[in-house]
Coordinates of all heavy atoms in Angstrom, one line a residue:
Chain R
F295 N 87.1 98.8 106.9 CA 88.0 99.7 106.2 C 87.4 101.1 106.0 O 88.1 102.1 106.0 CB 88.4 99.2 104.8 CG 89.4 98.0 104.8 CD1 89.0 96.8 104.5 CD2 90.6 98.2 105.4 CE1 90.0 95.7 104.5 CE2 91.6 97.2 105.5 CZ 91.2 95.9 105.0
Y296 N 86.1 101.2 105.8 CA 85.5 102.5 105.4 C 84.6 103.1 106.3 O 84.0 104.2 105.9 CB 84.9 102.3 104.0 CG 85.8 101.8 102.9 CD1 85.7 100.5 102.4 CD2 86.8 102.6 102.5 CE1 86.6 100.1 101.4 CE2 87.7 102.2 101.5 CZ 87.6 100.9 100.9 OH 88.4 100.5 100.0
H297 N 84.3 102.5 107.5 CA 83.2 103.1 108.3 C 83.5 104.5 108.7 O 82.5 105.2 109.0 CB 83.0 102.2 109.5 CG 84.1 102.2 110.5 ND1 85.2 101.3 110.4 CD2 84.4 102.9 111.6 CE1 86.0 101.6 111.4 NE2 85.6 102.5 112.1
E298 N 84.7 104.9 108.8 CA 85.0 106.3 109.1 C 84.4 107.3 108.1 O 84.3 108.5 108.4 CB 86.5 106.6 109.3 CG 87.1 105.9 110.5 CD 86.8 106.5 111.9 OE1 86.0 107.6 111.8 OE2 87.2 106.0 112.9
L299 N 84.2 106.8 106.9 CA 83.6 107.7 105.9 C 82.1 107.8 106.0 O 81.5 108.5 105.2 CB 84.1 107.3 104.5 CG 85.6 107.3 104.3 CD1 85.9 106.8 102.9 CD2 86.2 108.7 104.5
L300 N 81.4 107.0 106.8 CA 79.9 107.0 106.9 C 79.4 108.0 107.9 O 80.2 108.5 108.8 CB 79.5 105.6 107.3 CG 79.9 104.4 106.4 CD1 79.5 103.1 107.0 CD2 79.4 104.6 104.9
T301 N 78.2 108.3 107.8 CA 77.5 109.1 108.8 C 77.2 108.3 110.1 O 77.2 107.1 110.0 CB 76.1 109.7 108.3 OG1 75.2 108.6 108.2 CG2 76.3 110.4 107.0
N302 N 76.9 109.0 111.1 CA 76.6 108.3 112.4 C 75.4 107.3 112.3 O 75.4 106.2 112.8 CB 76.3 109.2 113.6 CG 77.6 109.9 114.0 OD1 78.7 109.3 113.9 ND2 77.5 111.1 114.7
K303 N 74.4 107.8 111.6 CA 73.2 107.0 111.4 C 73.5 105.7 110.6 O 73.0 104.6 110.9 CB 72.1 107.8 110.7 CG 70.7 107.2 110.7 CD 69.7 108.0 110.0 CE 68.5 107.3 109.5 NZ 67.7 108.0 108.5
Q304 N 74.2 105.9 109.5 CA 74.7 104.8 108.7 C 75.4 103.7 109.5 O 75.2 102.5 109.4 CB 75.5 105.2 107.5 CG 74.7 105.9 106.4 CD 75.6 106.6 105.4 OE1 76.7 107.0 105.7 NE2 75.1 106.8 104.2
K305 N 76.4 104.3 110.3 CA 77.1 103.4 111.2 C 76.3 102.6 112.2 O 76.4 101.5 112.4 CB 78.3 104.2 111.9 CG 79.4 104.5 111.1 CD 80.6 105.1 111.9 CE 80.4 106.6 112.0 NZ 81.7 107.3 112.5
E306 N 75.3 103.4 112.8 CA 74.5 102.8 113.8 C 73.7 101.6 113.2 O 73.7 100.5 113.8 CB 73.5 103.8 114.3 CG 72.8 103.3 115.6 CD 71.5 104.1 115.9 OE1 71.1 104.9 115.1 OE2 70.9 103.8 116.9
Y307 N 73.0 101.8 112.1 CA 72.2 100.7 111.4 C 73.1 99.5 111.0 O 72.8 98.4 111.3 CB 71.5 101.2 110.2 CG 70.3 102.1 110.5 CD1 70.0 102.5 111.8 CD2 69.4 102.4 109.5 CE1 68.9 103.2 112.1 CE2 68.3 103.2 109.8 CZ 68.0 103.6 111.0 OH 66.9 104.4 111.3
M308 N 74.3 99.8 110.5 CA 75.2 98.8 110.0 C 75.7 97.9 111.3 O 75.8 96.7 111.2 CB 76.4 99.3 109.3 CG 76.2 99.9 108.0 SD 75.6 98.7 106.8 CE 77.1 97.9 106.3
E309 N 76.0 98.7 112.4 CA 76.5 97.9 113.5 C 75.4 97.1 114.2 O 75.6 95.9 114.6 CB 77.1 98.9 114.5 CG 78.5 99.2 114.0 CD 79.3 100.2 114.9 OE1 79.0 100.3 116.1 OE2 80.3 100.8 114.3
L310 N 74.2 97.6 114.2 CA 73.1 96.9 114.8 C 72.9 95.6 114.0 O 72.7 94.5 114.5 CB 71.8 97.7 114.9 CG 71.7 98.7 115.9 CD1 70.5 99.6 115.8 CD2 71.7 98.1 117.4
Y311 N 72.8 95.8 112.7 CA 72.5 94.7 111.8 C 73.6 93.7 111.7 O 73.4 92.4 111.8 CB 72.1 95.2 110.4 CG 71.5 94.1 109.5 CD1 70.3 93.6 109.7 CD2 72.2 93.6 108.4 CE1 69.8 92.6 108.9 CE2 71.8 92.6 107.6 CZ 70.5 92.1 107.8 OH 70.0 91.2 107.0
Y312 N 74.8 94.2 111.4 CA 76.0 93.2 111.1 C 76.8 92.8 112.3 O 77.3 91.7 112.4 CB 76.9 93.8 110.1 CG 76.4 93.7 108.7 CD1 75.8 94.9 108.0 CD2 76.4 92.6 108.0 CE1 75.4 94.8 106.8 CE2 75.8 92.5 106.7 CZ 75.3 93.6 106.1 OH 74.8 93.5 104.9
R313 N 76.9 93.7 113.3 CA 77.7 93.3 114.4 C 76.9 92.7 115.6 O 77.2 91.8 116.2 CB 78.5 94.6 115.0 CG 79.4 95.2 114.0 CD 80.8 94.5 114.0 NE 81.3 94.5 112.6 CZ 82.4 95.2 112.2 NH1 82.9 96.1 113.0 NH2 82.8 95.1 111.0
E314 N 75.7 93.4 115.9 CA 74.9 92.9 117.0 C 73.8 91.9 116.6 O 73.1 91.4 117.4 CB 74.2 94.1 117.6 CG 75.0 95.4 117.9 CD 75.9 95.2 119.0 OE1 75.6 94.4 119.9 OE2 77.1 95.8 119.1
D315 N 73.8 91.6 115.3 CA 72.9 90.7 114.7 C 71.4 90.9 115.0 O 70.6 90.0 115.2 CB 73.2 89.2 115.2 CG 72.7 88.1 114.3 OD1 72.7 88.3 113.1 OD2 72.2 87.1 114.8
Y316 N 71.0 92.2 115.1 CA 69.6 92.6 115.1 C 69.0 92.3 113.8 O 69.6 92.4 112.7 CB 69.5 94.1 115.4 CG 69.6 94.5 116.9 CD1 70.7 94.1 117.6 CD2 68.6 95.2 117.5 CE1 70.8 94.5 118.9 CE2 68.7 95.6 118.8 CZ 69.8 95.2 119.5 OH 69.9 95.6 120.8
S317 N 67.7 91.9 113.8 CA 67.0 91.8 112.5 C 66.5 93.2 112.0 O 66.5 94.2 112.8 CB 65.7 90.9 112.7 OG 64.8 91.5 113.5
L318 N 66.1 93.3 110.7 CA 65.5 94.5 110.2 C 64.3 95.0 111.1 O 64.2 96.2 111.4 CB 65.1 94.4 108.7 CG 66.2 94.1 107.8 CD1 65.7 93.8 106.3 CD2 67.2 95.2 107.7
G319 N 63.5 94.0 111.4 CA 62.3 94.3 112.2 C 62.6 94.8 113.6 O 62.0 95.8 114.1
E320 N 63.6 94.3 114.2 CA 64.1 94.7 115.5 C 64.7 96.2 115.5 O 64.4 97.0 116.4 CB 65.2 93.8 116.1 CG 64.6 92.4 116.6 CD 65.6 91.4 116.9 OE1 66.7 91.4 116.3 OE2 65.3 90.5 117.7
I321 N 65.4 96.4 114.5 CA 66.0 97.8 114.3 C 64.8 98.8 114.1 O 64.8 99.9 114.6 CB 67.0 97.9 113.1 CG1 68.2 96.9 113.4 CG2 67.5 99.3 113.0 CD1 69.2 96.8 112.2
S322 N 63.9 98.4 113.3 CA 62.7 99.2 113.0 C 61.9 99.5 114.3 O 61.6 100.7 114.5 CB 61.8 98.5 111.9 OG 60.5 98.6 112.2
N323 N 61.8 98.5 115.1 CA 61.1 98.8 116.4 C 61.9 99.7 117.3 O 61.4 100.6 117.9 CB 60.9 97.5 117.2 CG 59.8 96.7 116.5 OD1 58.8 97.2 115.9 ND2 59.7 95.4 116.7
L324 N 63.2 99.4 117.3 CA 64.1 100.1 118.2 C 64.2 101.7 117.8 O 64.3 102.5 118.8 CB 65.5 99.5 118.1 CG 66.6 99.9 119.1 CD1 66.2 99.2 120.4 CD2 68.0 99.4 118.6
R325 N 64.2 101.9 116.6 CA 64.4 103.3 116.1 C 63.1 104.0 115.7 O 63.0 105.2 115.3 CB 65.4 103.4 115.0 CG 66.8 103.2 115.4 CD 67.3 104.4 116.3 NE 68.6 104.0 117.0 CZ 68.5 103.7 118.3 NH1 67.4 103.7 119.0 NH2 69.6 103.3 118.9
D326 N 62.0 103.2 115.8 CA 60.6 103.8 115.4 C 60.6 104.3 114.0 O 60.1 105.4 113.8 CB 60.2 104.8 116.5 CG 58.7 105.0 116.5 OD1 58.0 104.1 116.0 OD2 58.2 106.1 116.9
V327 N 61.2 103.5 113.1 CA 61.1 103.8 111.7 C 60.6 102.6 111.0 O 60.5 101.5 111.6 CB 62.4 104.3 111.0 CG1 62.8 105.6 111.5 CG2 63.5 103.2 111.3
S328 N 60.1 102.7 109.7 CA 59.6 101.5 109.0 C 60.7 100.5 108.7 O 61.9 100.9 108.6 CB 58.9 101.9 107.7 OG 59.9 102.3 106.7
R329 N 60.3 99.3 108.6 CA 61.3 98.2 108.2 C 61.9 98.5 106.9 O 63.1 98.3 106.7 CB 60.6 96.9 108.2 CG 61.4 95.6 108.2 CD 60.5 94.4 108.2 NE 61.3 93.2 108.0 CZ 61.9 92.9 106.8 NH1 61.7 93.6 105.8 NH2 62.6 91.7 106.7
Q330 N 61.1 99.1 106.0 CA 61.6 99.4 104.6 C 62.7 100.5 104.7 O 63.7 100.4 104.0 CB 60.4 99.9 103.8 CG 60.8 100.2 102.3 CD 61.2 98.9 101.6 OE1 60.6 97.8 101.8 NE2 62.2 99.0 100.7
A331 N 62.5 101.5 105.6 CA 63.4 102.6 105.8 C 64.8 102.0 106.2 O 65.8 102.4 105.7 CB 62.9 103.6 106.7
V332 N 64.7 101.1 107.2 CA 66.0 100.5 107.7 C 66.7 99.7 106.6 O 67.9 99.9 106.3 CB 65.6 99.5 108.8 CG1 66.9 98.8 109.3 CG2 65.0 100.2 110.0
Y333 N 65.9 98.9 105.8 CA 66.4 98.1 104.7 C 67.0 99.0 103.7 O 68.2 98.7 103.2 CB 65.3 97.3 104.0 CG 65.7 96.5 102.9 CD1 66.3 95.3 103.0 CD2 65.5 97.1 101.6 CE1 66.7 94.6 101.9 CE2 66.0 96.4 100.4 CZ 66.6 95.2 100.6 OH 67.0 94.5 99.5
D334 N 66.4 100.1 103.3 CA 66.9 101.0 102.3 C 68.2 101.7 102.7 O 69.2 101.8 102.0 CB 65.9 102.1 102.0 CG 64.7 101.6 101.2 OD1 64.8 100.4 100.7 OD2 63.7 102.3 101.1
N335 N 68.2 102.0 104.0 CA 69.4 102.7 104.6 C 70.6 101.7 104.5 O 71.7 102.1 104.0 CB 69.2 103.1 106.0 CG 70.3 103.9 106.6 OD1 71.4 103.4 106.8 ND2 70.1 105.2 106.8
I336 N 70.4 100.5 105.0 CA 71.5 99.5 105.0 C 72.0 99.2 103.6 O 73.1 99.1 103.3 CB 71.1 98.2 105.8 CG1 70.9 98.6 107.3 CG2 72.1 97.1 105.6 CD1 70.4 97.4 108.1
K337 N 71.0 99.0 102.7 CA 71.3 98.7 101.3 C 72.1 99.8 100.6 O 73.1 99.5 99.9 CB 69.9 98.5 100.5 CG 70.0 97.6 99.3 CD 70.2 96.2 99.7 CE 70.7 95.3 98.5 NZ 71.4 94.1 98.9
R338 N 71.8 101.0 100.9 CA 72.5 102.2 100.3 C 73.9 102.2 100.9 O 74.9 102.6 100.2 CB 71.7 103.5 100.6 CG 70.8 104.0 99.5 CD 70.5 105.5 99.7 NE 70.0 105.8 101.0 CZ 68.7 105.7 101.4 NH1 67.8 105.2 100.5 NH2 68.3 106.0 102.6
T339 N 74.0 102.0 102.2 CA 75.3 102.0 102.9 C 76.2 100.9 102.3 O 77.4 101.1 102.0 CB 75.2 101.8 104.4 OG1 74.3 102.8 104.9 CG2 76.5 102.0 105.1
E340 N 75.6 99.8 102.0 CA 76.4 98.7 101.4 C 77.0 99.1 100.0 O 78.1 98.8 99.7 CB 75.5 97.4 101.2 CG 75.3 96.7 102.5 CD 74.5 95.4 102.2 OE1 74.4 94.9 101.1 OE2 74.1 94.8 103.2
Q341 N 76.1 99.8 99.2 CA 76.5 100.2 97.9 C 77.6 101.2 98.0 O 78.6 101.2 97.3 CB 75.3 100.8 97.2 CG 74.3 99.8 96.6 CD 73.0 100.3 96.3 OE1 72.7 101.5 96.5 NE2 72.1 99.4 95.8
L342 N 77.4 102.1 99.0 CA 78.5 103.1 99.3 C 79.9 102.5 99.7 O 80.9 102.8 99.1 CB 78.1 104.0 100.4 CG 78.7 105.3 100.7 CD1 78.7 106.2 99.5 CD2 78.1 106.1 101.9
L343 N 79.8 101.4 100.5 CA 81.0 100.7 100.9 C 81.7 100.1 99.6 O 82.9 100.2 99.4 CB 80.7 99.7 101.9 CG 80.3 100.2 103.3 CD1 80.0 99.0 104.2 CD2 81.4 101.0 104.0
H344 N 80.8 99.5 98.8 CA 81.4 98.9 97.5 C 82.0 100.0 96.6 O 83.0 99.8 96.0 CB 80.3 98.2 96.8 CG 80.0 96.8 97.4 ND1 80.9 95.8 97.4 CD2 78.9 96.3 98.1 CE1 80.4 94.7 98.1 NE2 79.2 95.0 98.4
S345 N 81.4 101.1 96.6 CA 81.9 102.2 95.7 C 83.2 102.8 96.3 O 84.1 103.1 95.5 CB 80.9 103.3 95.5 OG 80.9 104.2 96.5
Y346 N 83.3 102.8 97.6 CA 84.6 103.2 98.1 C 85.7 102.2 97.8 O 86.9 102.5 97.5 CB 84.6 103.3 99.7 CG 83.9 104.6 100.2 CD1 82.9 104.6 101.2 CD2 84.2 105.8 99.6 CE1 82.3 105.8 101.6 CE2 83.6 107.0 100.0 CZ 82.6 106.9 101.0 OH 82.0 108.1 101.4
E347 N 85.3 100.9 97.9 CA 86.3 99.9 97.5 C 86.7 100.0 96.1 O 87.9 99.7 95.7 CB 85.6 98.5 97.8 CG 86.5 97.3 97.4 CD 87.9 97.2 98.1 OE1 88.1 97.9 99.1 OE2 88.7 96.4 97.6
E348 N 85.8 100.3 95.2 CA 86.1 100.4 93.8 C 87.1 101.6 93.5 O 87.9 101.5 92.6 CB 84.8 100.7 93.0 CG 84.1 99.4 92.5 CD 82.7 99.7 92.0 OE1 82.5 100.8 91.3 OE2 81.8 98.9 92.3
K349 N 87.0 102.6 94.4 CA 87.9 103.7 94.3 C 89.2 103.5 95.0 O 90.3 103.9 94.5 CB 87.2 105.0 94.9 CG 86.1 105.4 94.0 CD 85.3 106.6 94.6 CE 84.2 107.0 93.7 NZ 83.2 107.9 94.4
L350 N 89.2 103.0 96.2 CA 90.4 102.9 97.0 C 91.1 101.5 97.1 O 92.3 101.4 97.5 CB 90.2 103.5 98.4 CG 89.8 104.9 98.5 CD1 89.5 105.3 99.9 CD2 90.8 105.9 97.9
H351 N 90.3 100.5 96.8 CA 90.8 99.1 96.8 C 91.5 98.6 98.1 O 92.5 97.9 98.0 CB 91.8 98.9 95.7 CG 91.3 99.4 94.4 ND1 90.4 98.7 93.6 CD2 91.6 100.5 93.6 CE1 90.1 99.4 92.5 NE2 90.9 100.5 92.5
L352 N 91.0 99.1 99.3 CA 91.8 98.8 100.5 C 91.6 97.3 100.9 O 92.6 96.7 101.4 CB 91.2 99.7 101.7 CG 91.5 101.2 101.5 CD1 91.0 101.9 102.8 CD2 92.9 101.5 101.2
Y353 N 90.4 96.8 100.6 CA 90.2 95.4 100.9 C 91.1 94.5 100.0 O 91.7 93.6 100.5 CB 88.7 95.0 100.8 CG 88.4 93.6 100.9 CD1 88.3 93.0 102.1 CD2 88.1 92.9 99.7 CE1 88.0 91.6 102.2 CE2 87.7 91.5 99.8 CZ 87.7 90.9 101.0 OH 87.3 89.6 101.1
E354 N 91.0 94.8 98.8 CA 91.8 94.1 97.8 C 93.3 94.1 98.1 O 94.0 93.0 98.1 CB 91.5 94.7 96.4 CG 92.2 93.9 95.2 CD 92.2 94.8 94.0 OE1 91.2 95.6 93.8 OE2 93.2 94.7 93.2
K355 N 93.8 95.2 98.4 CA 95.2 95.4 98.8 C 95.6 94.7 100.0 O 96.7 94.1 100.2 CB 95.6 96.9 98.9 CG 95.7 97.6 97.6 CD 96.0 99.1 97.9 CE 96.0 99.9 96.6 NZ 96.2 101.4 96.9

Side-chain angles (χ1 to χ4, degrees):
Chain R
F295 286 118
Y296 301 112
H297 67 274
E298 290 287 359
L299 301 177
L300 302 176
T301 67
N302 285 338
K303 194 181 158 195
Q304 287 169 332
K305 279 190 272 191
E306 195 201 2
Y307 284 9
M308 290 295 281
E309 281 180 20
L310 287 171
Y311 189 72
Y312 283 105
R313 301 274 146 106
E314 313 287 332
D315 201 39
Y316 279 55
S317 70
L318 294 175
E320 286 168 335
I321 301 172
S322 138
N323 287 335
L324 194 71
R325 286 293 163 258
D326 202 20
V327 290
S328 72
R329 194 179 172 286
Q330 186 63 40
V332 176
Y333 176 84
D334 290 345
N335 185 292
I336 291 177
K337 206 69 195 161
R338 266 199 306 275
T339 305
E340 285 187 11
Q341 285 160 357
L342 195 57
L343 292 176
H344 282 294
S345 85
Y346 284 135
E347 176 61 14
E348 273 166 38
K349 287 172 181 167
L350 299 179
H351 312 284
L352 297 186
Y353 172 76
E354 185 194 325
K355 286 179 186 175

